[in-house]
Amino acid sequence: MLVKSCKVCKSINIKNISHKVYKCKDCQHTYINYTRDGIKYHKELYRNPGHHGTRGAGELQNGIFTKLFHERRIPICNKRVKILKETLPTIFSECHTLLDIGAGGGTFLDTVKQRFTEVECTEVSDLCINNLKERGYVVYPGSFTKINLNKTYDLVTCWHVLEHVENLQQFLKKAIEVTNKYLVLEVPINRKLKNPDKDFDGHFHYFSSKSLELLFKKDFHILNIRDGVQMPCLYALLQKKNIDNDD
């Protein structure tokens, strides 16, 4: 498939910087043109032996994430809570319901669940879905862009997931539908670019501050874009615009 324009700003001023990798000269967004089934990759290959994101030793036993798995992720999750409070001190008093997109093994939900009256999540991995259910969470299985939730949440979080979503416009549309107040994102940046035909890591996109803002600014107020937790990365705090009152 020939890539003719930027996936964010739609500029035709793009450059093929390596095999199936394109960078926009206007907004600096990078797109990896993986032409196979991305959902199938994430369900069947991602985090499996021989592929990217493999679990650490001792983190999985008989299909269940171990105590060690969660202990290794608690420091990251505590830092996520810290950055949420730093960028919006009232976030936990304002927000009563939470949707975590791509919740993984559920360590972040474990860390924050006492702060909300309702906590739910989405996940594509069957392994993670089973573990989330085992931990008592309401989990909507499948790709976030294709799930019909029919409800909104005060806070929607998306930690290192957006880069795995090929169709950004579908993500944006669904995020608008389910967000009542705030949308929080964290995405990796400045990673080594690889040939997706030989060594795909699940990432379709690498954002710049400009491309991240451009994607969301029509429908969300950009409250903060800064360095995030799992560096190198960008963290963004967005507030949904009120259609009746906001420009």
Side-chain angles (χ1 to χ4, degrees), residues 75-88:
I76 290 174
C77 294
N78 287 337
K79 290 178 181 178
R80 290 175 178 176
V81 172
K82 181 180 178 182
I83 200 170
L84 287 169
K85 292 194 290 187
E86 285 177 353
T87 51
L88 186 65

Side-chain angles (χ1 to χ4, degrees), residues 41-170:
Y41 170 85
H42 284 93
K43 286 181 69 68
E44 299 179 4
L45 298 177
Y46 187 63
R47 296 196 185 282
N48 286 334
H51 297 274
H52 287 271
T54 304
R55 307 295 179 189
E59 293 188 347
L60 183 67
Q61 293 181 359
N62 300 318
I64 300 297
F65 293 130
T66 63
K67 181 180 179 181
L68 178 63
F69 170 93
H70 294 286
E71 286 177 345
R72 285 175 171 171
R73 287 155 179 79
I74 286 172
I76 290 174
C77 294
N78 287 337
K79 290 178 181 178
R80 290 175 178 176
V81 172
K82 181 180 178 182
I83 200 170
L84 287 169
K85 292 194 290 187
E86 285 177 353
T87 51
L88 186 65
T90 60
I91 195 163
F92 292 119
S93 60
E94 284 189 59
C95 298
H96 305 291
T97 56
L98 168 69
L99 177 71
D100 188 33
I101 302 171
T107 314
F108 175 67
L109 295 179
D110 291 349
T111 306
V112 300
K113 63 184 179 182
Q114 298 300 326
R115 299 174 182 268
F116 298 91
T117 58
E118 181 181 45
V119 169
E120 297 183 343
C121 60
T122 76
E123 179 54 52
V124 70
S125 161
D126 292 334
L127 173 65
C128 292
I129 290 167
N130 292 336
N131 275 269
L132 289 163
K133 289 181 177 178
E134 190 74 20
R135 300 179 82 78
Y137 292 112
V138 174
V139 52
Y140 299 96
S143 171
F144 169 68
T145 61
K146 301 183 184 301
I147 297 171
N148 294 318
L149 294 171
N150 297 316
K151 61 192 299 186
T152 61
Y153 303 82
D154 294 336
L155 176 61
V156 177
T157 53
C158 184
W159 305 99
H160 290 259
V161 173
L162 182 58
E163 65 275 11
H164 294 269
V165 179
E166 198 279 332
N167 193 316
L168 296 177
Q169 296 306 314
Q170 287 183 0

Side-chain angles (χ1 to χ4, degrees), residues 27-40:
C27 73
Q28 304 304 307
H29 188 79
T30 300
Y31 172 67
I32 293 85
N33 186 23
Y34 180 72
T35 52
R36 301 172 193 171
D37 188 331
I39 297 299
K40 184 177 181 180

Side-chain angles (χ1 to χ4, degrees), residues 211-230:
S211 69
L212 196 58
E213 180 177 350
L214 284 173
L215 180 62
F216 291 98
K217 72 175 186 177
K218 179 182 176 182
D219 303 288
F220 291 85
H221 296 293
I222 311 299
L223 301 184
N224 203 314
I225 295 180
R226 53 169 279 185
D227 288 344
V229 173
Q230 291 176 260

